[in-house]
């Protein structure tokens, strides 16, 4: 369905490579891009190039980093607790809370046999090697509460438990501030299951 | 709210320049971009640069073009009817129908005093100069059925009518294949207003 002139078709095709972007949205982005000033376009291009060269992965936790070690892994005051997450976005969400004082380990995805992602594609070997090296006392599995995140959490539990390390999972329940009416059934059932005695 | 390392923040900021993209979506795009292969990134960058240099505007109709004249304006078989649209996307939508055999004129927007867009910011002078030069017999005003599109259409009607050219507007009505139940009241009232006798 080549409708526009070729360079515009190619431009649309490139924007359509972004996640969740179909042809219609890609066309919208392309039109907007063509309206940008020369300075805007140059900055866009420069920043994208710079990002690809400057943004690396921390060799310890696999989070984004400008240096070999990320600021969190370099911070000696961080407790010997390891929070295992899927991607760097989860690290940011948890850091925003300013309550957790431990370290992180970014898996780089979740187990997904359908997409050919097994344990070897995730940073699991690296996770195991940190347990001893860093004298980790607890691993908090904080993969997302999706089917694949759950499967990955189960896999990690079974892998880590025999090693004698304490393994925990984030609590499920009704989101604070939300109305019970809008909570889905699975969440509600988990909230009942995980109920705590008031003291 | 600088949370990520600086080059990543800058990357997110650039993606957030795209229309309708907030910080969350921009972050998603940035993460996906960082996962692309070197070839993918290079192609993206090349195509974006190429687009900005190769895609110009047709000097006659203001549609996107690789040359001074777009293929439609170069086509001598096109009838002396002018369809006035807001942007190149509308040209594509109408061309897809394969029913219209006339020419186009891309205004490059709609009148919007709030945003400082008056007649001088649109290609209206160029439209007027085409009427005589191309012996135009009819101008079809095909701006979008929005408030601003309507205002622009009214403005053009008043400007063109005194010049003796036939001016028409696309028909309003219930979209074909849609359920009456889902049509909004304004559309329905326009559909009743514009009803036609069956023969």
């Amino acid at each position: 369905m080549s409708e526009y002139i070729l360079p515009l078709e190619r431009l649309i095709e490139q924007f359509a490579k972004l996640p969740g972007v179909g042809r219609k949205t890609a066309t919208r982005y392309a039109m907007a891009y063509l309206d940008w000033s020369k300075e805007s376009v140059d900055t866009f291009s420069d920043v994208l190039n710079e990002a690809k060269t400057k943004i690396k992965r921390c060799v310890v936790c696999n989070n984004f980093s400008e240096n070999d070690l990320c600021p969190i892994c370099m911070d000696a005051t961080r407790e010997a607790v390891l929070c295992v997450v899927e991607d760097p976005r989860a690290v940011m969400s948890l850091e925003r809370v300013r309550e957790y004082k431990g370290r992180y380990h970014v898996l780089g995805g979740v187990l997904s046999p359908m997409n050919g992602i097994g344990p070897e594609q995730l940073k699991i070997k690296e996770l195991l090697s940190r347990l001893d090296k860093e004298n980790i006392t607890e691993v908090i599995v904080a993969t997302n509460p999706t089917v694949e995140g759950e499967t990955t959490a189960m896999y990690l539990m079974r892998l880590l438990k025999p090693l004698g390390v304490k393994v925990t999972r984030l609590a499920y329940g009704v989101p604070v501030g939300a109305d019970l009416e809008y909570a889905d059934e699975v969440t509600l059932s988990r909230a009942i299951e995980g109920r705590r005695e008031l003291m």
Side-chain angles (χ1 to χ4, degrees), chain A:
Chain A
M1 60 169 209
S2 171
E3 296 168 336
Y4 292 100
I5 51 172
L6 193 65
L8 182 49
E9 281 295 333
R10 282 165 53 89
L11 184 65
I12 293 170
E13 203 177 85
Q14 288 303 310
F15 279 116
K17 276 163 49 181
L18 295 169
V21 174
R23 186 176 160 89
K24 212 161 177 175
T25 306
T27 306
R28 203 167 153 223
Y29 291 171
M31 302 283 176
Y33 170 80
L34 289 173
D35 271 344
W36 287 357
S37 67
K38 173 146 176 44
E39 295 73 49
S40 262
V41 165
D42 288 348
T43 309
F44 191 78
S45 162
D46 290 348
V47 170
L48 263 66
N49 286 332
E50 180 200 69
K52 203 66 187 177
T53 53
K54 282 203 184 160
I55 303 175
K56 303 169 204 162
R57 293 299 193 128
C58 170
V59 294
V60 172
C61 75
N62 191 37
N63 193 3
F64 288 128
S65 178
E66 287 184 85
N67 307 302
D68 282 353
L69 278 180
C70 74
I72 295 175
C73 285
M74 281 202 292
D75 182 350
T77 70
R78 289 276 177 161
E79 296 163 10
V81 173
L82 217 48
C83 185
V84 179
V85 295
E86 292 179 20
D87 56 38
R89 269 177 297 182
V91 175
M92 288 304 127
S93 303
L94 289 161
E95 281 297 282
R96 225 175 277 141
V97 183
R98 288 165 206 276
E99 196 151 298
Y100 177 69
K101 301 290 179 213
R103 306 164 198 175
Y104 294 94
H105 190 79
V106 177
L107 290 176
V110 275
L111 294 175
S112 175
M114 296 271 286
N115 299 310
I117 298 176
E120 307 75 34
Q121 276 71 48
L122 306 178
K123 300 287 177 189
I124 289 178
K125 233 181 354 203
E126 291 79 353
L127 167 64
L128 295 178
S129 82
R130 291 181 69 181
L131 298 183
D132 266 355
K133 213 181 292 171
E134 304 181 25
N135 274 315
I136 299 298
T137 56
E138 179 181 354
V139 175
I140 304 173
V141 181
T143 50
N144 292 325
T146 58
V147 173
E148 289 173 339
E150 279 309 286
T151 312
T152 309
M154 287 301 293
Y155 176 88
L156 290 175
M157 298 269 184
R158 284 193 201 137
L159 192 72
L160 300 173
K161 270 281 169 73
L163 304 178
V165 67
K166 183 177 172 190
V167 186
T168 57
R169 179 103 176 90
L170 286 189
Y172 286 106
V174 194
V176 178
D179 198 307
L180 277 193
E181 191 183 351
Y182 301 117
D184 64 286
E185 289 149 41
V186 181
T187 300
L188 267 183
S189 115
R190 294 294 189 98
I192 295 168
E193 208 178 296
R195 68 192 182 278
R196 297 171 65 173
E197 200 177 339
L198 294 174
M199 291 191 264

